[in-house]
Amino acid sequence: MATKSHPVTRHVVSINDLSKSEIETIFDLAQAYLTEYSDPNLPERIGRSSNLAPNYILASLFYEPSTRTRLSFESAMLRLGGTFITSADPTTSSAAKGESLADSVRVITNYADVMVIRHPRDGAARLAAEYSSIPVINGGDGSHEHPTQTLCDLFTLKKKNKRLKNLKVAIAGDLKGSRTIHSFVYALARFGADIVPMAAEGMELPPHVDRRLREEFHCNFVPGDGSIDALYRTPEEPHQPALFSGPDFELSVNVPGGNLSPGEEAVQRRKIDAVYVTRFQKERWAEAREGYPKIDAKFLKDAKYSHASVLHPLPRVDELDASLDSDSRAVYFEQAAYGVPVRMALISLLLGLQRGKSLRKFEGGFEAEDVPVYDQPLNAGIRCANANCIVHEPKESPYVRNKFHIVKSESDKGCRLRCLYCETDIDRFFVASRKNKWYTDDTSELLHARDPGIKDFLAFADEADAVNRGFHSKRHSAARASQR
Ligand code: NCD
């Protein structure tokens, strides 16, 4: 008898949950909505509503302040002909009574057809997705990711430049705390753009993000001229020399060390196509910081920015001068306007409203390697190293486990553990075998383990933990065995 197959519920927690072709499909549909429903006087503004999603309900569940993300999602749902229910303030919902996210999500699943969630904890959206039978869209989780902002950013860049490949994009400000930046750099790398990090002091990209760019998305790091470092994506097809000549080509280049390949030098000399600015994410830092960079007319006077679009996810505070608003390079209000058509397209595709070609294309997911998961038994061994991860939220403790992707290390033969929720990596840890009673720092033991054998292993953050749990060093056990 044929069994009825249930469609898998798709969630968009990370930008990497979407394949490149799905992202292109979202853009095609967003453009189609703009063409059909825009305001004749303001082409970036959706000015009319459709009847594509009658009776569908969006739930917006926001545990942190929001203007653009929540309102543009709700506007998008209304423009599709649907409706929304909202919990915009955690002080007025059951969260204030101590309800866990896992419980709230299980309840809201029955009240709506799609859910967007924003939360101060990294990894909260992935936890929500685990407990939801309707699609969960991450509207920003701590400093982890903000994938739909990236969709708006890429859509804006693509409309301006007609392509993403080989664009040279500078990212300025708080690269550590900005979730928008983290989703954005993954996407830029996957679409073959070059990334120029311009971090405020002490606010560089987190090590795990930097490493993923290099190891998983094959970016090469090109040393810069002191103020700028370039991450240069290793081309599958070599960069075309013709792209680097002509009026957009800056001839003076100052490379310390001077040992770059011709391709790397060419990337370094190209002008910047876009500058993406973010505010100091004060809610993610314990203390205020001095000397945050400011993008203003003086900064943009440098010839390398002569045609650079200026993007900002907004809100801005002091880091982006209001005098730039009338500069033709400023596109941040347009970028915010695209929040409506882009989110209409995403909702529509997740709900399967768009029958036909685009629906068929929206199947599958990020074509990534299927990395095994290590599920740490409760109350034993290693926990996520990120103190802001949802796994450390006391309210969620009955509903969350320490789960890690086992990721092969490029630098040695071992592996690292990547938290399934916040995606922070643990590089050094100890592996213990319950059956053999030994522990070792050779993490390759775990790399090759598969179900059910993987259940034999425990991971510990340090040696003392393993010893306290009654394990002996594998080296010592082996030496003892050879003496016998
Ligand atoms: C961003 C966010 O919430 O991460 N805002 C937004 O959604 N457009 C950026 C920010 O708050 O700085």
Side-chain angles (χ1 to χ4, degrees):
M1 197 179 73
T3 51
K4 197 173 164 216
S5 67
H6 290 278
V8 180
T9 304
R10 288 292 304 272
H11 306 289
V12 180
V13 171
S14 161
I15 193 67
N16 298 326
D17 290 336
L18 295 167
S19 69
K20 274 168 68 181
S21 77
E22 285 169 345
I23 293 174
E24 303 275 13
T25 303
I26 293 166
F27 292 167
D28 290 350
L29 192 56
Q31 185 51 52
Y33 288 152
L34 269 179
T35 309
E36 181 117 9
Y37 302 112
S38 68
D39 180 333
N41 300 318
L42 285 169
E44 66 270 15
R45 174 181 185 273
I46 295 285
R48 287 180 304 121
S49 298
S50 70
N51 199 25
L52 292 162
N55 308 321
Y56 280 93
I57 302 172
L58 167 91
S60 46
L61 185 57
F62 278 60
Y63 294 84
E64 263 194 348
S66 170
T67 301
R68 269 150 296 275
T69 304
R70 186 170 64 81
L71 296 184
S72 66
F73 260 111
E74 293 170 358
S75 173
M77 197 58 184
L78 294 172
R79 293 299 195 194
L80 285 169
T83 189
F84 69 86
I85 51 176
T86 191
S87 169
D89 175 3
T91 62
T92 63
S93 75
S94 285
K97 300 179 190 167
E99 185 170 56
S100 67
L101 176 64
D103 279 356
S104 298
V105 165
R106 275 180 284 190
V107 169
I108 294 166
T109 274
N110 301 306
Y111 300 165
D113 303 295
V114 57
M115 182 185 322
V116 55
I117 170 169
R118 170 169 286 188
H119 199 279
R121 288 276 195 178
D122 302 14
R126 186 69 72 195
L127 175 69
E130 281 187 345
Y131 283 92
S132 176
S133 51
I134 61 172
V136 169
I137 304 172
N138 182 4
D141 58 334
S143 55
H144 174 226
E145 281 209 42
H146 193 343
T148 64
Q149 180 62 48
T150 291
L151 293 174
C152 303
D153 305 338
L154 290 188
F155 185 73
T156 310
L157 270 182
K158 199 163 176 211
K159 275 186 82 73
K160 285 282 147 204
N161 298 279
K162 310 278 178 278
R163 67 187 162 96
L164 296 170
K165 194 166 172 62
N166 290 340
L167 286 186
K168 190 171 175 181
V169 183
I171 46 169
D174 182 356
L175 311 188
K176 185 167 191 280
S178 297
R179 54 196 175 200
T180 62
I181 290 278
H182 304 153
S183 299
F184 189 50
V185 290
Y186 293 145
L188 287 175
R190 288 172 58 202
F191 279 94
D194 299 322
I195 305 160
V196 182
M198 295 167 60
E201 207 188 324
M203 300 183 196
E204 290 77 22
L205 285 175
H208 67 277
V209 175
D210 171 69
R211 198 169 38 217
R212 278 187 87 178
L213 288 175
R214 298 170 198 241
E215 293 187 1
E216 282 163 48
F217 304 119
H218 310 297
C219 286
N220 259 342
F221 191 73
V222 181
D225 61 7
S227 62
I228 285 183
D229 288 326
L231 268 172
Y232 157 67
R233 184 171 195 265
T234 310
E236 288 120 88
E237 311 122 30
H239 285 276
Q240 300 297 306
L243 280 174
F244 310 130
S245 55
D248 284 351
F249 192 61
E250 239 190 301
L251 287 172
S252 66
V253 67
N254 168 21
V255 183
N259 52 359
L260 300 183
S261 71
E264 289 169 340
E265 270 190 42
V267 168
Q268 210 168 44
R269 277 182 282 174
R270 259 163 52 217
K271 286 193 178 185
I272 303 279
D273 296 298
V275 185
Y276 188 98
V277 192
T278 57
R279 73 182 166 92
F280 172 57
Q281 306 284 306
K282 63 177 168 41
E283 63 274 47
R284 319 263 174 246
W285 293 85
E287 73 290 343
R289 294 289 179 105
E290 300 288 314
Y292 200 77
K294 183 164 187 147
I295 307 299
D296 54 14
K298 187 163 158 261
F299 175 93
L300 290 177
K301 254 206 171 98
D302 190 318
K304 63 174 162 286
Y305 301 114
S306 62
H307 73 262
S309 307
V310 181
L311 289 93
H312 193 306
L314 302 177
R316 70 174 147 192
V317 191
D318 293 321
E319 68 291 341
L320 182 63
D321 202 86
S323 69
L324 290 179
D325 296 359
S326 53
D327 188 308
S328 60
R329 291 168 291 183
V331 296
Y332 30 88
F333 288 116
E334 208 176 303
Q335 182 188 355
Y338 291 142
V340 178
V342 166
R343 289 177 171 119
M344 283 171 77
L346 178 66
I347 294 169
S348 170
L349 290 160
L350 282 173
L351 292 178
L353 302 177
Q354 211 60 40
R355 304 272 157 229
K357 209 165 149 250
S358 56
L359 177 65
R360 274 204 310 279
K361 276 208 272 170
F362 202 73
E363 279 166 2
F366 177 41
E367 306 96 358
E369 237 182 293
D370 191 13
V371 272
V373 172
Y374 170 68
D375 189 342
Q376 175 72 42
L378 288 174
N379 306 321
I382 209 157
R383 303 190 70 196
C384 177
N386 170 8
N388 194 48
C389 180
I390 191 73
V391 301
H392 299 300
E393 170 58 54
K395 267 198 285 194
E396 308 304 329
S397 63
Y399 314 107
V400 77
R401 293 171 66 89
N402 282 284
K403 286 192 243 174
F404 301 90
H405 284 298
I406 299 172
V407 183
K408 191 177 171 341
S409 165
E410 295 286 308
S411 46
D412 56 50
K413 60 185 177 55
C415 63
R416 62 179 59 105
L417 296 177
R418 175 169 303 150
C419 174
L420 198 93
Y421 299 95
C422 74
E423 302 189 283
T424 302
D425 289 344
I426 299 176
D427 297 328
R428 263 186 60 73
F429 60 98
F430 293 82
V431 183
S433 162
R434 293 198 250 214
K435 189 172 75 200
N436 299 312
K437 279 289 168 199
W438 50 243
Y439 70 87
T440 174
D441 61 357
D442 177 4
T443 56
S444 66
E445 295 279 353
L446 197 55
L447 186 60
H448 305 296
R450 290 289 179 277
D451 235 6
I454 201 166
K455 295 203 168 63
D456 176 47
F457 290 107
L458 282 177
F460 290 100
D462 57 50
E463 209 162 350
D465 285 356
V467 172
N468 288 341
R469 300 280 297 203
F471 293 97
H472 309 286
S473 162
K474 190 179 182 190
R475 247 175 293 133
H476 296 158
S477 324
R480 270 204 304 274
S482 68
Q483 280 161 13
R484 274 188 226 125

